[in-house]
Amino acid sequence: MPQNPSPQLSPPIVLTFAASDPTGGAGVQADILTLASMGCHPLSVITAITVQDTAGVDAVLPMEPDWVEDQARSLLEDMPVAAFKIGLIGSVENVAAIAEIVSDYPHIPLILDPVLASGRGDELATEDLIAAMKELLLPQTTILTPNSLEARRLAEEDEEEPELEESARRLVSYGCEYVLLTGTHENTGQVINTLYNEHGMVRADRWERLPGSYHGSGCTLASAIAANLANGLELGDAVRDAQEYTWQALAAGFRPGMGQYIPDRFFWARAPEEGREGDA
């Protein structure tokens, strides 16, 4: 009689809270592709349903907070999770629900990508939602991954928008352990991504600026960091390797529609093999 196969070790499991993007470019679909590409098993909690294409977001329907909580609790009672990743949240009520859930797992790293607007500029977060994120989620965040526009908006207080370094300082003061500011929107020759903690700048990485604009680059980067942390990397190494992965995915990006390019999260699977039979 054939014996049962030996049980296999589970890959690291990452739980993402994000909205569904029917284009597959951003949102929970981008998270799933990235996490799977980097050797993790993705779990997903849908926070909202969207109507969008590669050009922009036309409508967002947030899930009821009870549904968000029930999705997450069901998964967390069944499987061990090595990292949380949070993207578009959809409503103040969902912020509160997610904050309560993750507070029960303080030992699990939390990667927060503060999705405030689409690449086209469609508004995806109200001021009330931003205030709730700052009060309830930032104090639990291991690493926050805003672009420069998001960082300035999150750190804005009563005066004009602060400079980037001051934005990072404020975001850390709100409770984030680390803040990775991405520089795609800055007027610099190279893209400069800078990591900060309570002691100031930890590292700055420079990347060749690619032409065109990309749908889901922020989701890819945050999910790649989550995957690296779940795989056991130290945070500095996780951030550096996630940037490399994201840059490669963007460089291999494709334009399936009439809007932005989409990162190819499985670029490595489609890379030409060296020394194949028949190659010159």
Side-chain angles (χ1 to χ4, degrees), residues 11-238:
I13 297 173
V14 177
L15 172 56
T16 175
F17 296 85
S20 175
D21 174 5
T23 74
V28 71
Q29 287 84 349
D31 297 344
I32 288 170
L33 287 166
T34 301
L35 293 167
S37 177
M38 299 187 70
C40 293
H41 178 68
L43 308 180
S44 55
V45 170
I46 304 298
T47 58
I49 298 170
T50 67
V51 177
Q52 62 179 298
D53 56 21
T54 56
V57 180
D58 293 322
V60 177
L61 177 64
M63 297 294 292
E64 292 291 332
D66 288 349
W67 275 80
V68 172
E69 180 175 4
D70 288 349
Q71 289 178 80
R73 296 290 186 194
S74 232
L75 294 169
L76 288 164
E77 289 169 8
D78 183 40
M79 289 174 272
V81 169
F84 291 122
K85 185 267 178 183
I86 301 175
L88 190 149
I89 300 173
S91 70
V92 172
E93 293 78 11
N94 285 349
V95 172
I98 294 170
E100 183 175 352
I101 291 161
V102 297
S103 70
D104 291 338
Y105 302 87
H107 60 288
I108 297 177
L110 190 158
I111 298 83
L112 174 57
D113 176 22
V115 181
L116 307 184
S118 73
R120 185 174 64 184
D122 308 298
E123 195 67 43
L124 299 175
T126 64
E127 293 306 313
D128 286 345
L129 192 151
I130 290 172
M133 286 174 57
K134 290 166 68 172
E135 179 183 351
L136 299 176
L137 283 178
L138 265 60
Q140 302 188 67
T141 296
T142 306
I143 178 166
L144 183 73
T145 62
N147 62 41
S148 55
L149 304 179
E150 293 163 339
R152 289 187 174 100
R153 187 173 174 192
L154 284 167
E156 187 177 7
E157 293 179 352
D158 295 330
E159 73 283 4
E160 296 180 358
E161 287 185 346
E163 295 297 321
L164 277 182
E165 189 169 352
E166 174 61 16
S167 296
R169 187 196 66 76
R170 290 183 188 179
L171 293 172
V172 170
S173 75
Y174 298 155
C176 300
E177 191 174 345
Y178 289 89
V179 175
L180 176 65
L181 293 186
T182 59
T184 305
H185 293 86
E186 297 302 289
N187 186 24
T188 54
Q190 293 178 302
V191 174
I192 305 171
N193 300 332
T194 313
L195 181 67
Y196 296 87
N197 66 9
E198 62 180 344
H199 303 296
M201 188 179 78
V202 176
R203 64 178 300 137
D205 297 293
R206 297 171 180 267
W207 301 94
E208 176 188 346
R209 187 175 289 278
L210 298 168
S213 64
Y214 296 85
H215 184 53
S217 55
C219 306
T220 305
L221 176 61
S223 293
I225 294 172
N228 283 335
L229 292 175
N231 276 303
L233 272 65
E234 295 295 328
L235 191 133
D237 293 335

